[in-house]
Amino acid sequence: MPADQPLVVISKSGSKRWVSAADTAARKLGLKLGMPASKAQAIVANLKMIDADPAADAAALERLALWALRQYSPVVAVDGADGIVMDTEGADHLQGGEGLLISGLVNGLRGRGLTARAAVADTWGAAHAITRMTSAETTVVPVGGVAKAVTGLPIHCLRLVPDTIHGLRVMGVETVGELSAMPRAPLTLRYGPEVGRRLDQIFGRMAEPIEPLRTPELVEAVKNFQEPIGAAETIAKYVRRLVGELTSKLETRGLGVRRSDLVIHRVDNTRQCVRAGLAKPVRDPARLSKLLCDRIEKIDPGFGIERLVLVALIVEPLEERQVASSLIEEMVVDVTPLVDILGNRGQRLYRVTPVASDVPERSVMRIGPTADETGLTWAAKWPRPSRLLANPERIDVTALLPDQPPAVFTWRGKRRRVKRADGPERIFGEWWVRPREYAAVRDYFVVEDEAGERYWVYRAGDGVDTDTGSHLWFLHGVFG
Amino acid sequence: MRYAELQVTTHFSFLRGASSSEELFATAAALGIDAVGVVDRNSLAGIVRAWEAAKTTGVRLVVGCRLDLSDGMSVLVYPTDRPAYSRLTRLLSLGKSRGGKGKCILDVSDVEAYSGGLIAILIPAEADETTAAQLRKLAAIFADRAYVSLCLRRRPNDRLRLHNLSNLAARHKVKTVITNDVLFHDPSRRQLQDIVTCIRNRTTIDSVGFDRERHADRFLKAPEEMHRLFSEYPEALARTREIVDRCRFDMSELQYQYPEEALVPGLDAQQSLTKFAWEGAATRYPEGIPDKVRKAILHELELIRVMKYAPYFLTVYSIVRFARSQGILCQGRGSAANSAVCYCLGITSINPETGDLLFERFVSMERDEPPDIDVDFEHARREEVIQWIYETYGRSRSALCSTVTRYRAKGALRDVGKALGLPEDLITQLSSGVWGWSEGVGEKQLKENNMNTADYRLKLALDLSSQLMGAPRHLGQHPGGFVLTQDRLDDLVPIEPASMKDRQVVEWDKDDIEALKFMKVDVLALGMLTCMAKSFELLRDYKDIPMGLSDVEQEDPATYAMIRKADTLGTFQIESRAQMAMLPRLKPRTFYDLVVQVAIVRPGPIQGDMVHPYLRRREGKEKVEYPTPELEAVLGKTLGVPLFQESAMKVAMTCAGFTAGEADQLRRAMATFKFTGGVSKFKDKLVEGMVKNGYTREFAEKTFTQLEGFGSYGFPESHAASFALIAYASSWVKCHHPDVFCASLLNSQPMGFYSVAQIVQDARNHGVEVRPVCVNRSRWDGTMERIGNSDRFAVRLGMRVVRGLSTNDAARIILARAEQPFASADDMWRRSGVSPSSLVKLAEADAFLPSLQLERRQALWDIKALRDEPLELWAAAAEREAKVIAEMQEPEVALKSMTEGREVVEDYSHTGLTLRAHPVSFLRQDLNKKGIVTCAEAMGQRDGKWLWTAGLVLVRQRPGSAKGVMFLTLEDESGIVNAVVWPSLFERQRRILMTASMMAINGRIQREGEVVHLVAQRLFDFSADLSSVGNRDGDFPLPHGRGDQVKHGGPPDPRDNPKPVVQAREIYIPDLHIDNLKIKSRNFH
């Protein structure tokens, strides 16, 4: 992408689309945040538009915070949707002081292609405000200098809800200084206690602890062997123990496992891994053990195994649920264990579900084995072949136009005489999908040959208008 | 081979069918189908259209209806004769009264009750038990009039299904008949059909799924094809003809009866009318009825007797009499003003003695259709008249006509775009560039907006929306067209409840009513009559001048002097840009000049190229000459140029020997000649007649071409005169009592071309003092306040200008302050009991400043402290002490004052006007630096001068008659500038023209006499600068009057929609409401 091409990020909600971020080039051309996407497109000719992905943004910000955690300070947290806050107290000397710390940080980020602004201040609120409201790349507010630094800043750096900000601005209150100079009681009466709280936070009159971000801890169970083991039964025995250990750890945290890895360290310093995936979070030792033990045969112990590590890689919250008596509630047979067993053997599992489409190829869809119902049911009203060919096959046909079934057709070199037939079932192309289907028509016939075999054949086109299709014949399915 | 298609759905089933009756019948005629049964869903709304199409194409119409019953059964019913038809309309009226607006709830027992004479065809699903049960019911109800439809669906097992159905029908002794369930006339409409289904189900094409019409081949097929498809069922095919033959009912059988009203006991309608007419004449002419009038009345009464129209005149008479008795201003308009009888009855106000009226323009023997009397009432009190009509005639005999809301460019694009899943902002962006009603959206707009022209969905949207244009979307309620009958109205047409309480409408619109020759009384609303009524009220109450519309001093030179200066903002009819531009050229000096003025700025005279000859002759630049003295007698008043419809008729009568009736036919033929070509026989007759009477052939031909132009778009003189009366009266009030005029205009809003801001500005320019809204002084309506002890008055703005304030809250406030004015916001809140949110609206409008000296912000600050309920203890104490006791002592908070610019913006946002400085004045320094001159300066420059000027965009108009030229009005603190934008510039800078709220224009001054225009060469968008005035984000809240066609669309241009029937009128301007301005919330980024 050329660097000078203006770029905007488009957010979507329902059928509304608006500009949620714009780069410098785009801003220069007069694009504003909140502007309807099409208006922006109309203003700028070769505008590059990217769809917003808030989840990915949040994940990226968190990765950045983790990076900062390793580099700068043990107390780091994500601040809003666009910032990171950290407590540098006692950590700045490692980088040569506060100034060097933040300039190093900003430079480091620039090296990664990110533009950043950083500030050091006595309070979280002040640093938050300064980074967002000033254009300086780095700012260090001296100890006790917060009040001076923030009084001139506009009030919408105060982390208040937009309604409150709007209300205050209507009253002519524009800056933090003006707001803090107002008597507190009338403010609280009109705008609630939040205004006072945020003011106190920014000036350091009220503590605001940072809830630090930690690297995620993996739940794992480890077993070292003095004597290397190798027999399948032994492995199975220890796997069960490890599973027991792991599930009890998970239980204390209220978690269930979605994916677990069994890492096998061999004496020759090579490693092997057995992975078990689950359709739903589970911490039932028996089920997990079975899934892992089923795969023991795949393990090659070589000269012996000296260490087994069982890691719960993906975990999800799992709450215990009281099972109602079968007298009250109908038992729902849970098929997920079976799904897990088959899935871990390497089979691809799916369910098929009907789709509201008349075009046979599009009338079914594969969905995940445990996906929710789509709400559509299989309509049994109209006969459909038990086997639908992935690609319709050309057949040679003798038939009368416009709507008579074939009298004779040749499929895969074999000539078949039609004894009985039903049709045509006229199916139109889904004209909104692509131009080729705008006028397309298929006339489907169910035909039965002399041997009593039934086939689903169609003619492309309605037999009258050549715009609707080529009038060639195809075989699309075989009835059982 | 003969075949009749009995199951055809038109687009009057509203978003079900995809073709019009015209298309369907034309196709049927081409295919050789000899009859078409129109069966719209639970409705006969499209049946008159179908009947007209049937008459044009010669294909017979079988009137029918599809009834979808509440138990899931669907039957097609066809009345065999007139009584059966009435049963059907009553059945539908019953269902609609149950279902409410747009719905119809019926079950089998209802059908049974009204089944006499109806033929029924069952629409079966599968050949199963349910169908068997339905067949049993049908056979029991309809006996030998019961049929069951055999219809090919192109689904699996079709043949088997038909076979089983046929057997099942035989078992239940119900006859089978072939139908084709037609939804569109041509296979190519299939895609549109899917789209309307999506629109109806409020979904998109991607998720509509099986709600689409799945049965294939829903288009009209030739009889041969039907016979081939159903060769196994010859008897069922033959029965289509059988049903057609059994249904002998034709729409022409609908006999209309006039209600018998206002009869004098012992006299019949004609005798009563005669009596009233002479009585009225005696009152109108206290000094004796002039001979001319006497003759006219005799002539008219005779014609009315022959045509049996007396009851109609009596009905209108009684309505007008009621309005007069209630003191509601009213005046007839249109061709009725040609009638001396109408004048005597007090329906119209044009004196037949002075005028040269042509009764045949109103009623003629040749045109066998009922006369059309339109009466304007004060718009604020018209509802009283409407309710009186309902009460007097009863709900079974009176109903309003409906109006068919049809898709126009923007609406079609919006709905089709939505159905195709296009993002909303994209549709908005596309349609924001569409001018007016009929301009389509094409590739050009896509390119302009940098959109991908190759995008398939976009292309589909453009394509299908152009197909959808013109299709009816739903039925609305006509603003005042009443249908009244003597017998039950639901015997003639289904009636449904309207969405407005206590109103009901018939399913047909005014064209349908006209086609069936029903009588319709138009009870129209005219804002200016309200304004006049309010003016007279204020004059009486404050200035002690009791007067009425008829007491306005005639031929007042001061008033004409004002009109000549085009100082007519706010007056009736002559306030539009085009009218104002004409005034200094036409220079009206007498009433008749005003009549000409009203009529001349019309598409008719402009297209007939009569404006310039008339102006030249009036200015003395061209000699006025008449080939013959007869012609001078006819056209003398209009200087030899035919300007009115009557002139054209009279030319034909005097010069070519037409009878009055023939002349009226000629006029009608001219109105429609473009579509039907039926004018040629009149042309021959006119030209030959003129030649025979001694005119040269060349002159005769020329006369004919001249007349051609305005058949339909010209005004009848009588109508122009009626309007000129009001135009004059309003100008008189404006001239002599500008304060009263301003107050009553404001109190009659919404009406007219201009916004409140412009009306107030104009009044202030005329030296009227306008005072701001005040919580202690303003009433709901604007009032007059005496200035000191002088006899001059100031206008106090009413609370009605405060955005969002309800009438109820205003009333409570006014009641609470009656004894003692409010002392503070807190006091006001306690005593009036009005919610803080309403007080906020008043504070935002700065209504606390005048009497409480609370600035906008301070008032808002005080109100913000109020809770939902006062504390009871304090309330009790306050009551005892009879004064306000504050619930708490608060420290004083000093709030910053708003900047003057911000105040102005807030004024505009919350009241739509400001009494402070003009917004542009804040930008003046910057503008000066850029070398931009003020509007007043620009207008004062010499001809041909190039300059820059800038201002707020007040009005954007592109009159249909101006060939794409756009008229712009800009305003700054010094005045206004009138700019002209040629079509090429319009196309180049369309976006700025359509969206800018403030713009700068580079152009050349063009002076013609007193008319000064700025011919634009280049435009610049200054909206951002304007937004900066208030030092706030978001757009400047500029209000637009109804004169602005971008914001208000304007009335649909009648030429967009050529119709082969004569338009009764095309002067009606619907009461559009001013859109609420959307003020964007602030967004901080």
Side-chain angles (χ1 to χ4, degrees), chain B residues 529-548:
Chain B
L529 282 177
T530 313
C531 176
M532 287 289 98
K534 292 195 173 180
S535 293
F536 297 140
E537 217 172 281
L538 290 173
L539 279 174
R540 187 192 62 214
D541 293 351
Y542 291 94
K543 297 195 173 180
D544 206 20
I545 309 175
M547 63 181 296

Side-chain angles (χ1 to χ4, degrees), chain B residues 460-584:
Chain B
L460 280 179
L462 298 189
D463 200 33
L464 291 169
S465 60
S466 71
Q467 282 186 39
L468 187 63
M469 263 167 71
R473 196 190 191 300
H474 55 83
L475 281 185
Q477 169 190 316
H478 190 271
F482 263 98
V483 188
L484 303 170
T485 50
Q486 178 61 24
D487 297 329
R488 290 176 60 138
L489 183 56
D490 59 4
D491 274 352
L492 296 171
V493 53
I495 301 176
E496 62 176 42
S499 45
M500 251 166 108
K501 206 176 146 263
D502 287 339
R503 295 224 177 158
Q504 50 181 8
V505 296
V506 299
E507 278 192 338
W508 296 335
D509 75 353
K510 65 177 174 61
D511 296 332
D512 297 339
I513 297 290
E514 197 181 306
L516 289 165
K517 298 180 181 167
F518 281 19
M519 179 195 104
K520 178 172 121 275
V521 184
D522 271 348
V523 181
L524 301 171
L526 194 64
M528 189 46 77
L529 282 177
T530 313
C531 176
M532 287 289 98
K534 292 195 173 180
S535 293
F536 297 140
E537 217 172 281
L538 290 173
L539 279 174
R540 187 192 62 214
D541 293 351
Y542 291 94
K543 297 195 173 180
D544 206 20
I545 309 175
M547 63 181 296
L549 202 52
S550 49
D551 307 323
V552 175
E553 188 195 338
Q554 295 302 311
E555 305 292 359
D556 171 46
T559 305
Y560 283 108
M562 183 193 83
I563 293 174
R564 281 197 296 277
K565 278 192 299 179
D567 181 12
T568 52
L569 189 147
T571 60
F572 186 60
Q573 280 286 314
I574 51 175
E575 64 164 345
S576 76
R577 268 295 308 276
Q579 291 277 3
M580 279 193 186
M582 192 62 79
L583 283 170

Side-chain angles (χ1 to χ4, degrees), chain A residues 15 17 37-38 41-42 44 166 169-172 190 358 382 402-403 422 425-426 428 431-432 438, chain B residues 154-157 190-191 194 214 217 228 423-426 450 456-457 857 861 865 890 896 1082 1084:
Chain A
S15 60
R17 301 182 307 160
S38 305
Q41 196 183 1
V44 179
H166 175 79
R169 288 196 64 194
V170 166
M171 296 302 165
R190 287 167 177 84
D358 278 325
W382 294 330
D403 56 4
D422 177 61
E425 177 185 358
R426 186 154 289 177
F428 294 107
W431 54 268
W432 58 93
Y438 189 78
Chain B
R154 297 300 196 188
R155 295 279 112 192
N157 297 331
R190 178 166 54 87
Q191 290 79 6
D194 286 346
R214 293 178 75 193
D217 291 3
R228 186 185 71 79
E424 205 181 296
D425 59 297
L426 189 142
N450 299 318
Y456 181 52
R457 285 284 171 109
R857 270 185 184 149
W861 179 259
E890 274 202 318
K896 269 196 294 185
R1082 273 186 209 91
F1084 304 109

Side-chain angles (χ1 to χ4, degrees), chain B residues 730-750:
Chain B
S730 57
S731 302
W732 184 87
V733 177
K734 181 179 160 86
C735 181
H736 295 280
H737 305 281
D739 43 359
V740 169
F741 189 65
C742 171
S744 48
L745 256 186
L746 293 179
N747 293 343
S748 312
Q749 291 297 318

